Amino acid sequence: NAGVTQTPKFQVLKTGQSMTLQCAQDMNHNSMYWYRQDPGMGLRLIYYSASEGTTDKGEVPNGYNVSRLNKREFSLRLESAAPSQTSVYFCASSDEGQMNTEAFFGQGTRLTVV
Amino acid sequence: EDQVTQSPEALRLQEGESSSLNCSYTVSGLRGLFWYRQDPGKGPEFLFTLYSAGEEKEKERLKATLTKKESFLHITAPKPEDSATYLCAVQLLYNFNKFYFGSGTKLNVKP
């Protein structure tokens, strides 16, 4: 039961470098999400994708781009990393439209930008 | 503005000492309220969904309740393995893809 898988688990970047966080789910969910979690601030939505081929901004989209590659995969790209993007990033998926619409989360990517 | 507030930020209990965690919310329309458990270095793990005021859900030592303005997570006779951060989230009625999370309550249960 893989659920939601994120790679990498840890990453250190220098300011200005770019990178892509990968996420895949095997639950056949339509919706996928990227959140960041910072101490004392809870989880904040960066971007989401309600279905294959669509993406929408969340609360904190600046500095990020996303791609919904297919129904399984949703990637998050940092084009020019900044220290303010140091955070733990979580990918999640859900199947809204059904009775149970809870989101299932990956294990997270801990990103440090120096 | 849609927002979720959890209290207290941290809670220390002795094993067996029951207590409650609070999640108050202000949203334009509530589709559902979710409780998650998060262990250090892990992603949130789903516990409960509540959809309407008066609804209750139970799982082992945990019971979640919902009113029109807040939700409580009651922990009865907790054990050290219940130590974790508990998060609540609201799902908006007009957009099922919008979940707003509180900042969590960090629970520490001492033996």
Side-chain angles (χ1 to χ4, degrees), chain A residues 31 33 35 37 40-43 45 48 50 59 90 96-103 105-107, chain B residues 31 34 36 38 41-46 49 51 87 91 95-104:
Chain A
S31 297
Y33 313 83
Y35 287 89
Q37 186 174 39
M41 300 195 71
L43 286 154
L45 183 63
Y48 67 95
E59 299 172 79
F90 288 99
E96 83 298 330
Q98 304 300 314
M99 189 58 198
N100 300 316
T101 60
E102 65 270 19
F105 286 81
Q107 293 297 295
Chain B
R31 201 275 178 171
F34 301 81
Y36 287 85
Q38 187 175 24
K42 300 286 184 67
E45 178 185 343
F46 170 72
T49 310
Y51 290 106
L87 303 169
Q91 182 185 34
N95 186 337
F96 285 11
N97 294 117
K98 293 275 181 122
F99 294 85
Y100 286 95
F101 280 82
S103 55

Side-chain angles (χ1 to χ4, degrees), chain B residues 80-96:
Chain B
E81 53 261 42
D82 294 322
S83 297
T85 295
Y86 291 85
L87 303 169
C88 73
V90 296
Q91 182 185 34
L92 300 186
L93 186 62
Y94 62 84
N95 186 337
F96 285 11

Side-chain angles (χ1 to χ4, degrees), chain A residues 30 38 43 48 62 64 70 83-84 87-89 92-93 106-107 110:
Chain A
N30 288 319
D38 302 294
L43 286 154
Y48 67 95
N62 292 343
Y64 305 95
N70 48 55
S84 61
S87 188
V88 182
Y89 291 85
S93 70
Q107 293 297 295
R110 187 172 296 273

